[in-house]
Amino acid sequence: MRNRILKLEKASEQLEPSPSQRNDWAAAVQDYAHDYVDSLPNRKAYVKRDTPSTGLLELPLDGQPKPMEQLLGVLKENLPNDGLNPASGGHLGYIPGGGIYPTALGDYLAAVTNEYAGIFFGGPNAVRMENMLLRWMCDLMGYPKGSLGNLTSGGSIANLIAFVAARDSKKITTDKVKNSVIYLTGQVHHCVHKAIRIGGMGEAMVRNVPMDGQFRMDANALAEMVDKDVADGLYPFLVVASAGTTDTGAMDPLNAVADICEKHNLWFHVDAAYGGFFILADVDNPDGTTIKDTFKGIERSDSVAIDPHKGLFLSYGLGAILIKDIKAQMESHYYRASYMQDTLGATEEYNPADLSPELTKHWRGVRMWLPLQLYGIAPFKAALEEKILLTRYFYDEIQKLGFEVGPFPDLSVATYRFVPKQGDTNDFNARLLEHVQTDGRIFVSSTTIDGVYWIRIAILCFRTHLREVDMLLEIFKEGVEKLVQS
Ligand SMILES: *Cc1c(COP(=O)(O)O)cnc(C)c1O
């Protein structure tokens, strides 16, 4: 027995590389990463291919060891040369990604130390760090002391956690679901509908509240709908407002929605996955208000979903749910298994595992803590303000090229289209988008609102500056000239 164990030990020891092996691997990965970052300004934001590359399939998972160089070689050949490059400053489609470098270093530390951030007993410092970050974000939103939430993988899970807490807190038991009512607009992110269904509320009545001309929720219409539903004996319990819709960047009137929720004791959720961190921006609006003013009322909500992997420019993998009534969140998510009896007892911090569906998880806090502490808040604030102003600059300049535009951007998303003298406008703009995507230096995407095809610009990558926006304007200018002639 002992001999066999010792033999196995010898073989399994390879899983702990020697210091020199570690150095070699780390150096190779670092070279790859740094070359990649340095090459970004010369790379396309989008590589359009008819069929995605299949190079990865040529290196099957055959159970055989392979040298690091070969593996990095395969990644180098295949990954960035296909489809959308979320690290590119030219990514101005959908909601752009981030990828600030210290996020990667934080992930590296989390992975190497493998700190456990599920339960305070197991990883008090890892948990404390995550809760500090949550309290910092609660503070940003104007939430009172004692609010918390959870660091999630993204906005989708953040919304799910909030809806489940809302469901339980408002006592929407299974027998009540069919007569319960949720209010949102046609512009909420599709993951909101997904979360409602996954959260067991798929049979609830979901009311589309009408919007004003700027795609913001019409609070008067909401008030009327809730009044009617209450009079009809239904159970209105949840309103989902957006602080920055994905499609058009619209800010719903949070303060007015808060009034209605307060009056009827409804759970007020704000999906600020995209827009939440713009609360940091000191920028005046043309109508005399400020960006901060448009967030007024968010402090009156019950929960906020906010994505640091969007508005704080972190690499993908970090969202957050902020919840004012931590007991409500806990009642929906905690569980005590008998094999966890050692973890009971007084703890200074709430356990992330009691506040979300997850137990064992990546210590995702350090990927946010490290950049925030290294840089301080000033460069983030500057970048957010820059993105708002870049969007406004684009909004002005694209009109000078003869484009029609949608509403003045509330944050950093704008819509626009070119109306040709003849021919189908939707078709023309679809071809114009094709022109931009074929060029590939800059990537933008489109949307259809009430049957009208609009091209969008969404500026949120920290690498997007005037250079990229000017380049896009140039590409549109060429595109229109080319398409009008043909
Ligand atoms: C991106 C986004 C989501 C979804 O978040 P993920 O991080 O992609 O899961 C939800 N709501 C809004 C408004 C978003 O922009």
Side-chain angles (χ1 to χ4, degrees), residues 98-130:
I100 48 171
Y101 189 70
T103 320
L105 301 180
D107 276 349
Y108 180 76
L109 291 176
V112 169
T113 61
N114 204 22
E115 276 283 328
Y116 179 67
I119 294 183
F120 187 76
F121 169 85
N125 289 299
V127 168
R128 203 188 299 285
M129 181 186 286
E130 299 210 342

PDB file of all heavy atoms in Angstrom, residues 98-130:
ATOM      1  N   GLY A  98     -14.419  45.708 -20.804  1.00  0.00           N
ATOM      2  CA  GLY A  98     -13.304  46.448 -20.238  1.00  0.00           C
ATOM      3  C   GLY A  98     -12.035  45.649 -20.366  1.00  0.00           C
ATOM      4  O   GLY A  98     -11.649  45.221 -21.441  1.00  0.00           O
ATOM      5  N   GLY A  99     -11.402  45.405 -19.233  1.00  0.00           N
ATOM      6  CA  GLY A  99     -10.177  44.614 -19.250  1.00  0.00           C
ATOM      7  C   GLY A  99      -8.968  45.362 -18.714  1.00  0.00           C
ATOM      8  O   GLY A  99      -7.854  45.113 -19.159  1.00  0.00           O
ATOM      9  N   ILE A 100      -9.191  46.260 -17.722  1.00  0.00           N
ATOM     10  CA  ILE A 100      -8.018  46.957 -17.172  1.00  0.00           C
ATOM     11  C   ILE A 100      -7.073  45.908 -16.567  1.00  0.00           C
ATOM     12  O   ILE A 100      -7.501  44.944 -15.937  1.00  0.00           O
ATOM     13  CB  ILE A 100      -8.394  48.037 -16.122  1.00  0.00           C
ATOM     14  CG1 ILE A 100      -9.368  47.512 -15.090  1.00  0.00           C
ATOM     15  CG2 ILE A 100      -8.947  49.274 -16.799  1.00  0.00           C
ATOM     16  CD1 ILE A 100      -9.591  48.467 -13.938  1.00  0.00           C
ATOM     17  N   TYR A 101      -5.812  46.140 -16.798  1.00  0.00           N
ATOM     18  CA  TYR A 101      -4.789  45.133 -16.514  1.00  0.00           C
ATOM     19  C   TYR A 101      -4.774  44.626 -15.065  1.00  0.00           C
ATOM     20  O   TYR A 101      -4.643  43.415 -14.842  1.00  0.00           O
ATOM     21  CB  TYR A 101      -3.430  45.711 -16.921  1.00  0.00           C
ATOM     22  CG  TYR A 101      -2.307  44.714 -16.885  1.00  0.00           C
ATOM     23  CD1 TYR A 101      -2.251  43.679 -17.812  1.00  0.00           C
ATOM     24  CD2 TYR A 101      -1.321  44.790 -15.910  1.00  0.00           C
ATOM     25  CE1 TYR A 101      -1.227  42.762 -17.776  1.00  0.00           C
ATOM     26  CE2 TYR A 101      -0.288  43.867 -15.861  1.00  0.00           C
ATOM     27  CZ  TYR A 101      -0.245  42.856 -16.795  1.00  0.00           C
ATOM     28  OH  TYR A 101       0.755  41.937 -16.756  1.00  0.00           O
ATOM     29  N   PRO A 102      -4.913  45.501 -14.067  1.00  0.00           N
ATOM     30  CA  PRO A 102      -4.861  44.983 -12.688  1.00  0.00           C
ATOM     31  C   PRO A 102      -5.964  43.974 -12.352  1.00  0.00           C
ATOM     32  O   PRO A 102      -5.830  43.222 -11.382  1.00  0.00           O
ATOM     33  CB  PRO A 102      -5.000  46.241 -11.817  1.00  0.00           C
ATOM     34  CG  PRO A 102      -4.607  47.367 -12.692  1.00  0.00           C
ATOM     35  CD  PRO A 102      -5.001  46.975 -14.085  1.00  0.00           C
ATOM     36  N   THR A 103      -7.057  43.952 -13.157  1.00  0.00           N
ATOM     37  CA  THR A 103      -8.059  42.906 -12.933  1.00  0.00           C
ATOM     38  C   THR A 103      -7.411  41.543 -13.092  1.00  0.00           C
ATOM     39  O   THR A 103      -7.662  40.610 -12.310  1.00  0.00           O
ATOM     40  CB  THR A 103      -9.207  42.962 -13.974  1.00  0.00           C
ATOM     41  OG1 THR A 103      -9.557  44.289 -14.230  1.00  0.00           O
ATOM     42  CG2 THR A 103     -10.402  42.173 -13.498  1.00  0.00           C
ATOM     43  N   ALA A 104      -6.567  41.426 -14.110  1.00  0.00           N
ATOM     44  CA  ALA A 104      -5.921  40.143 -14.398  1.00  0.00           C
ATOM     45  C   ALA A 104      -4.982  39.771 -13.255  1.00  0.00           C
ATOM     46  O   ALA A 104      -4.907  38.601 -12.857  1.00  0.00           O
ATOM     47  CB  ALA A 104      -5.151  40.232 -15.711  1.00  0.00           C
ATOM     48  N   LEU A 105      -4.300  40.756 -12.720  1.00  0.00           N
ATOM     49  CA  LEU A 105      -3.376  40.478 -11.614  1.00  0.00           C
ATOM     50  C   LEU A 105      -4.154  40.057 -10.366  1.00  0.00           C
ATOM     51  O   LEU A 105      -3.720  39.176  -9.620  1.00  0.00           O
ATOM     52  CB  LEU A 105      -2.504  41.708 -11.325  1.00  0.00           C
ATOM     53  CG  LEU A 105      -1.665  42.186 -12.510  1.00  0.00           C
ATOM     54  CD1 LEU A 105      -0.834  43.408 -12.114  1.00  0.00           C
ATOM     55  CD2 LEU A 105      -0.753  41.083 -13.034  1.00  0.00           C
ATOM     56  N   GLY A 106      -5.304  40.674 -10.169  1.00  0.00           N
ATOM     57  CA  GLY A 106      -6.155  40.277  -9.040  1.00  0.00           C
ATOM     58  C   GLY A 106      -6.641  38.838  -9.208  1.00  0.00           C
ATOM     59  O   GLY A 106      -6.618  38.050  -8.260  1.00  0.00           O
ATOM     60  N   ASP A 107      -7.058  38.501 -10.418  1.00  0.00           N
ATOM     61  CA  ASP A 107      -7.501  37.126 -10.686  1.00  0.00           C
ATOM     62  C   ASP A 107      -6.368  36.144 -10.439  1.00  0.00           C
ATOM     63  O   ASP A 107      -6.576  35.041  -9.928  1.00  0.00           O
ATOM     64  CB  ASP A 107      -7.956  36.992 -12.146  1.00  0.00           C
ATOM     65  CG  ASP A 107      -9.401  37.429 -12.340  1.00  0.00           C
ATOM     66  OD1 ASP A 107     -10.105  37.627 -11.334  1.00  0.00           O
ATOM     67  OD2 ASP A 107      -9.821  37.569 -13.504  1.00  0.00           O
ATOM     68  N   TYR A 108      -5.185  36.562 -10.831  1.00  0.00           N
ATOM     69  CA  TYR A 108      -4.007  35.701 -10.661  1.00  0.00           C
ATOM     70  C   TYR A 108      -3.780  35.412  -9.170  1.00  0.00           C
ATOM     71  O   TYR A 108      -3.596  34.264  -8.759  1.00  0.00           O
ATOM     72  CB  TYR A 108      -2.811  36.411 -11.289  1.00  0.00           C
ATOM     73  CG  TYR A 108      -1.502  35.671 -11.197  1.00  0.00           C
ATOM     74  CD1 TYR A 108      -1.233  34.593 -12.017  1.00  0.00           C
ATOM     75  CD2 TYR A 108      -0.518  36.075 -10.290  1.00  0.00           C
ATOM     76  CE1 TYR A 108      -0.024  33.922 -11.935  1.00  0.00           C
ATOM     77  CE2 TYR A 108       0.692  35.413 -10.196  1.00  0.00           C
ATOM     78  CZ  TYR A 108       0.935  34.329 -11.022  1.00  0.00           C
ATOM     79  OH  TYR A 108       2.125  33.669 -10.937  1.00  0.00           O
ATOM     80  N   LEU A 109      -3.869  36.466  -8.376  1.00  0.00           N
ATOM     81  CA  LEU A 109      -3.686  36.281  -6.931  1.00  0.00           C
ATOM     82  C   LEU A 109      -4.799  35.422  -6.327  1.00  0.00           C
ATOM     83  O   LEU A 109      -4.542  34.557  -5.479  1.00  0.00           O
ATOM     84  CB  LEU A 109      -3.645  37.637  -6.220  1.00  0.00           C
ATOM     85  CG  LEU A 109      -2.404  38.478  -6.505  1.00  0.00           C
ATOM     86  CD1 LEU A 109      -2.518  39.835  -5.819  1.00  0.00           C
ATOM     87  CD2 LEU A 109      -1.145  37.753  -6.053  1.00  0.00           C
ATOM     88  N   ALA A 110      -6.011  35.669  -6.792  1.00  0.00           N
ATOM     89  CA  ALA A 110      -7.135  34.873  -6.270  1.00  0.00           C
ATOM     90  C   ALA A 110      -6.926  33.403  -6.599  1.00  0.00           C
ATOM     91  O   ALA A 110      -7.164  32.520  -5.765  1.00  0.00           O
ATOM     92  CB  ALA A 110      -8.450  35.365  -6.873  1.00  0.00           C
ATOM     93  N   ALA A 111      -6.450  33.145  -7.800  1.00  0.00           N
ATOM     94  CA  ALA A 111      -6.296  31.758  -8.227  1.00  0.00           C
ATOM     95  C   ALA A 111      -5.114  31.092  -7.523  1.00  0.00           C
ATOM     96  O   ALA A 111      -5.193  29.930  -7.106  1.00  0.00           O
ATOM     97  CB  ALA A 111      -6.120  31.696  -9.743  1.00  0.00           C
ATOM     98  N   VAL A 112      -4.018  31.827  -7.368  1.00  0.00           N
ATOM     99  CA  VAL A 112      -2.829  31.230  -6.745  1.00  0.00           C
ATOM    100  C   VAL A 112      -3.077  30.964  -5.257  1.00  0.00           C
ATOM    101  O   VAL A 112      -2.760  29.890  -4.744  1.00  0.00           O
ATOM    102  CB  VAL A 112      -1.588  32.123  -6.944  1.00  0.00           C
ATOM    103  CG1 VAL A 112      -0.436  31.640  -6.081  1.00  0.00           C
ATOM    104  CG2 VAL A 112      -1.172  32.121  -8.409  1.00  0.00           C
ATOM    105  N   THR A 113      -3.681  31.931  -4.576  1.00  0.00           N
ATOM    106  CA  THR A 113      -3.909  31.732  -3.139  1.00  0.00           C
ATOM    107  C   THR A 113      -5.118  30.829  -2.902  1.00  0.00           C
ATOM    108  O   THR A 113      -5.208  30.172  -1.866  1.00  0.00           O
ATOM    109  CB  THR A 113      -4.173  33.059  -2.408  1.00  0.00           C
ATOM    110  OG1 THR A 113      -5.355  33.655  -2.961  1.00  0.00           O
ATOM    111  CG2 THR A 113      -3.009  34.026  -2.575  1.00  0.00           C
ATOM    112  N   ASN A 114      -6.033  30.845  -3.867  1.00  0.00           N
ATOM    113  CA  ASN A 114      -7.269  30.069  -3.762  1.00  0.00           C
ATOM    114  C   ASN A 114      -8.001  30.333  -2.445  1.00  0.00           C
ATOM    115  O   ASN A 114      -8.548  29.425  -1.824  1.00  0.00           O
ATOM    116  CB  ASN A 114      -6.990  28.566  -3.920  1.00  0.00           C
ATOM    117  CG  ASN A 114      -8.233  27.821  -4.391  1.00  0.00           C
ATOM    118  OD1 ASN A 114      -9.128  28.420  -4.968  1.00  0.00           O
ATOM    119  ND2 ASN A 114      -8.290  26.532  -4.136  1.00  0.00           N
ATOM    120  N   GLU A 115      -8.009  31.592  -2.046  1.00  0.00           N
ATOM    121  CA  GLU A 115      -8.759  31.987  -0.846  1.00  0.00           C
ATOM    122  C   GLU A 115     -10.224  31.646  -1.029  1.00  0.00           C
ATOM    123  O   GLU A 115     -10.769  31.764  -2.129  1.00  0.00           O
ATOM    124  CB  GLU A 115      -8.624  33.497  -0.617  1.00  0.00           C
ATOM    125  CG  GLU A 115      -7.371  33.907   0.136  1.00  0.00           C
ATOM    126  CD  GLU A 115      -7.481  33.626   1.631  1.00  0.00           C
ATOM    127  OE1 GLU A 115      -8.592  33.694   2.176  1.00  0.00           O
ATOM    128  OE2 GLU A 115      -6.443  33.342   2.251  1.00  0.00           O
ATOM    129  N   TYR A 116     -10.850  31.261   0.028  1.00  0.00           N
ATOM    130  CA  TYR A 116     -12.258  30.868  -0.031  1.00  0.00           C
ATOM    131  C   TYR A 116     -13.136  32.037   0.413  1.00  0.00           C
ATOM    132  O   TYR A 116     -13.035  32.492   1.557  1.00  0.00           O
ATOM    133  CB  TYR A 116     -12.476  29.657   0.875  1.00  0.00           C
ATOM    134  CG  TYR A 116     -13.908  29.207   0.885  1.00  0.00           C
ATOM    135  CD1 TYR A 116     -14.484  28.676  -0.261  1.00  0.00           C
ATOM    136  CD2 TYR A 116     -14.690  29.345   2.009  1.00  0.00           C
ATOM    137  CE1 TYR A 116     -15.794  28.284  -0.277  1.00  0.00           C
ATOM    138  CE2 TYR A 116     -16.018  28.949   2.010  1.00  0.00           C
ATOM    139  CZ  TYR A 116     -16.563  28.413   0.860  1.00  0.00           C
ATOM    140  OH  TYR A 116     -17.878  28.035   0.845  1.00  0.00           O
ATOM    141  N   ALA A 117     -13.966  32.504  -0.509  1.00  0.00           N
ATOM    142  CA  ALA A 117     -14.759  33.688  -0.200  1.00  0.00           C
ATOM    143  C   ALA A 117     -16.242  33.370  -0.032  1.00  0.00           C
ATOM    144  O   ALA A 117     -17.094  34.217  -0.275  1.00  0.00           O
ATOM    145  CB  ALA A 117     -14.563  34.748  -1.285  1.00  0.00           C
ATOM    146  N   GLY A 118     -16.544  32.164   0.396  1.00  0.00           N
ATOM    147  CA  GLY A 118     -17.955  31.798   0.560  1.00  0.00           C
ATOM    148  C   GLY A 118     -18.463  32.047   1.974  1.00  0.00           C
ATOM    149  O   GLY A 118     -19.576  32.507   2.177  1.00  0.00           O
ATOM    150  N   ILE A 119     -17.607  31.723   2.946  1.00  0.00           N
ATOM    151  CA  ILE A 119     -18.040  31.772   4.345  1.00  0.00           C
ATOM    152  C   ILE A 119     -16.951  32.411   5.210  1.00  0.00           C
ATOM    153  O   ILE A 119     -15.760  32.075   5.074  1.00  0.00           O
ATOM    154  CB  ILE A 119     -18.383  30.346   4.841  1.00  0.00           C
ATOM    155  CG1 ILE A 119     -19.614  29.852   4.056  1.00  0.00           C
ATOM    156  CG2 ILE A 119     -18.634  30.307   6.346  1.00  0.00           C
ATOM    157  CD1 ILE A 119     -20.130  28.516   4.458  1.00  0.00           C
ATOM    158  N   PHE A 120     -17.341  33.312   6.065  1.00  0.00           N
ATOM    159  CA  PHE A 120     -16.408  34.078   6.895  1.00  0.00           C
ATOM    160  C   PHE A 120     -15.488  33.170   7.693  1.00  0.00           C
ATOM    161  O   PHE A 120     -14.295  33.408   7.804  1.00  0.00           O
ATOM    162  CB  PHE A 120     -17.202  35.000   7.825  1.00  0.00           C
ATOM    163  CG  PHE A 120     -16.346  35.955   8.612  1.00  0.00           C
ATOM    164  CD1 PHE A 120     -15.799  37.075   8.016  1.00  0.00           C
ATOM    165  CD2 PHE A 120     -16.103  35.728   9.969  1.00  0.00           C
ATOM    166  CE1 PHE A 120     -15.014  37.964   8.741  1.00  0.00           C
ATOM    167  CE2 PHE A 120     -15.309  36.607  10.698  1.00  0.00           C
ATOM    168  CZ  PHE A 120     -14.770  37.725  10.080  1.00  0.00           C
ATOM    169  N   PHE A 121     -16.045  32.102   8.213  1.00  0.00           N
ATOM    170  CA  PHE A 121     -15.265  31.154   9.008  1.00  0.00           C
ATOM    171  C   PHE A 121     -14.061  30.625   8.208  1.00  0.00           C
ATOM    172  O   PHE A 121     -12.957  30.494   8.733  1.00  0.00           O
ATOM    173  CB  PHE A 121     -16.178  29.988   9.422  1.00  0.00           C
ATOM    174  CG  PHE A 121     -15.461  28.812  10.023  1.00  0.00           C
ATOM    175  CD1 PHE A 121     -15.151  28.800  11.377  1.00  0.00           C
ATOM    176  CD2 PHE A 121     -15.100  27.707   9.245  1.00  0.00           C
ATOM    177  CE1 PHE A 121     -14.500  27.709  11.942  1.00  0.00           C
ATOM    178  CE2 PHE A 121     -14.448  26.620   9.804  1.00  0.00           C
ATOM    179  CZ  PHE A 121     -14.145  26.625  11.156  1.00  0.00           C
ATOM    180  N   GLY A 122     -14.286  30.338   6.938  1.00  0.00           N
ATOM    181  CA  GLY A 122     -13.217  29.764   6.110  1.00  0.00           C
ATOM    182  C   GLY A 122     -12.257  30.801   5.570  1.00  0.00           C
ATOM    183  O   GLY A 122     -11.051  30.559   5.496  1.00  0.00           O
ATOM    184  N   GLY A 123     -12.753  31.947   5.187  1.00  0.00           N
ATOM    185  CA  GLY A 123     -11.891  32.971   4.583  1.00  0.00           C
ATOM    186  C   GLY A 123     -12.279  34.353   5.053  1.00  0.00           C
ATOM    187  O   GLY A 123     -12.811  35.150   4.289  1.00  0.00           O
ATOM    188  N   PRO A 124     -11.979  34.658   6.329  1.00  0.00           N
ATOM    189  CA  PRO A 124     -12.466  35.932   6.876  1.00  0.00           C
ATOM    190  C   PRO A 124     -11.996  37.153   6.078  1.00  0.00           C
ATOM    191  O   PRO A 124     -12.775  38.073   5.858  1.00  0.00           O
ATOM    192  CB  PRO A 124     -11.915  35.959   8.313  1.00  0.00           C
ATOM    193  CG  PRO A 124     -10.938  34.842   8.418  1.00  0.00           C
ATOM    194  CD  PRO A 124     -11.242  33.863   7.324  1.00  0.00           C
ATOM    195  N   ASN A 125     -10.758  37.129   5.626  1.00  0.00           N
ATOM    196  CA  ASN A 125     -10.272  38.321   4.920  1.00  0.00           C
ATOM    197  C   ASN A 125     -10.822  38.431   3.510  1.00  0.00           C
ATOM    198  O   ASN A 125     -11.115  39.528   3.027  1.00  0.00           O
ATOM    199  CB  ASN A 125      -8.749  38.355   4.924  1.00  0.00           C
ATOM    200  CG  ASN A 125      -8.240  38.662   6.312  1.00  0.00           C
ATOM    201  OD1 ASN A 125      -8.537  39.724   6.855  1.00  0.00           O
ATOM    202  ND2 ASN A 125      -7.533  37.719   6.916  1.00  0.00           N
ATOM    203  N   ALA A 126     -10.964  37.275   2.857  1.00  0.00           N
ATOM    204  CA  ALA A 126     -11.542  37.276   1.513  1.00  0.00           C
ATOM    205  C   ALA A 126     -12.991  37.775   1.584  1.00  0.00           C
ATOM    206  O   ALA A 126     -13.419  38.607   0.781  1.00  0.00           O
ATOM    207  CB  ALA A 126     -11.486  35.880   0.915  1.00  0.00           C
ATOM    208  N   VAL A 127     -13.732  37.279   2.570  1.00  0.00           N
ATOM    209  CA  VAL A 127     -15.124  37.700   2.718  1.00  0.00           C
ATOM    210  C   VAL A 127     -15.192  39.179   3.104  1.00  0.00           C
ATOM    211  O   VAL A 127     -15.986  39.945   2.574  1.00  0.00           O
ATOM    212  CB  VAL A 127     -15.845  36.822   3.768  1.00  0.00           C
ATOM    213  CG1 VAL A 127     -17.194  37.414   4.150  1.00  0.00           C
ATOM    214  CG2 VAL A 127     -16.015  35.404   3.226  1.00  0.00           C
ATOM    215  N   ARG A 128     -14.312  39.575   4.018  1.00  0.00           N
ATOM    216  CA  ARG A 128     -14.323  40.979   4.451  1.00  0.00           C
ATOM    217  C   ARG A 128     -14.086  41.905   3.262  1.00  0.00           C
ATOM    218  O   ARG A 128     -14.741  42.932   3.106  1.00  0.00           O
ATOM    219  CB  ARG A 128     -13.273  41.206   5.536  1.00  0.00           C
ATOM    220  CG  ARG A 128     -13.593  42.418   6.397  1.00  0.00           C
ATOM    221  CD  ARG A 128     -12.496  42.798   7.359  1.00  0.00           C
ATOM    222  NE  ARG A 128     -12.109  41.812   8.359  1.00  0.00           N
ATOM    223  CZ  ARG A 128     -12.827  41.498   9.451  1.00  0.00           C
ATOM    224  NH1 ARG A 128     -13.987  42.080   9.654  1.00  0.00           N
ATOM    225  NH2 ARG A 128     -12.373  40.616  10.314  1.00  0.00           N
ATOM    226  N   MET A 129     -13.127  41.508   2.408  1.00  0.00           N
ATOM    227  CA  MET A 129     -12.834  42.337   1.242  1.00  0.00           C
ATOM    228  C   MET A 129     -14.057  42.466   0.331  1.00  0.00           C
ATOM    229  O   MET A 129     -14.398  43.553  -0.130  1.00  0.00           O
ATOM    230  CB  MET A 129     -11.663  41.750   0.455  1.00  0.00           C
ATOM    231  CG  MET A 129     -11.296  42.585  -0.758  1.00  0.00           C
ATOM    232  SD  MET A 129     -10.037  41.807  -1.770  1.00  0.00           S
ATOM    233  CE  MET A 129      -8.582  42.060  -0.750  1.00  0.00           C
ATOM    234  N   GLU A 130     -14.734  41.351   0.096  1.00  0.00           N
ATOM    235  CA  GLU A 130     -15.912  41.403  -0.778  1.00  0.00           C
ATOM    236  C   GLU A 130     -17.001  42.273  -0.171  1.00  0.00           C
ATOM    237  O   GLU A 130     -17.635  43.071  -0.860  1.00  0.00           O
ATOM    238  CB  GLU A 130     -16.430  39.983  -1.073  1.00  0.00           C
ATOM    239  CG  GLU A 130     -15.358  39.164  -1.800  1.00  0.00           C
ATOM    240  CD  GLU A 130     -15.889  38.094  -2.751  1.00  0.00           C
ATOM    241  OE1 GLU A 130     -17.072  37.728  -2.634  1.00  0.00           O
ATOM    242  OE2 GLU A 130     -15.097  37.651  -3.614  1.00  0.00           O
TER     243      GLU A 130
END
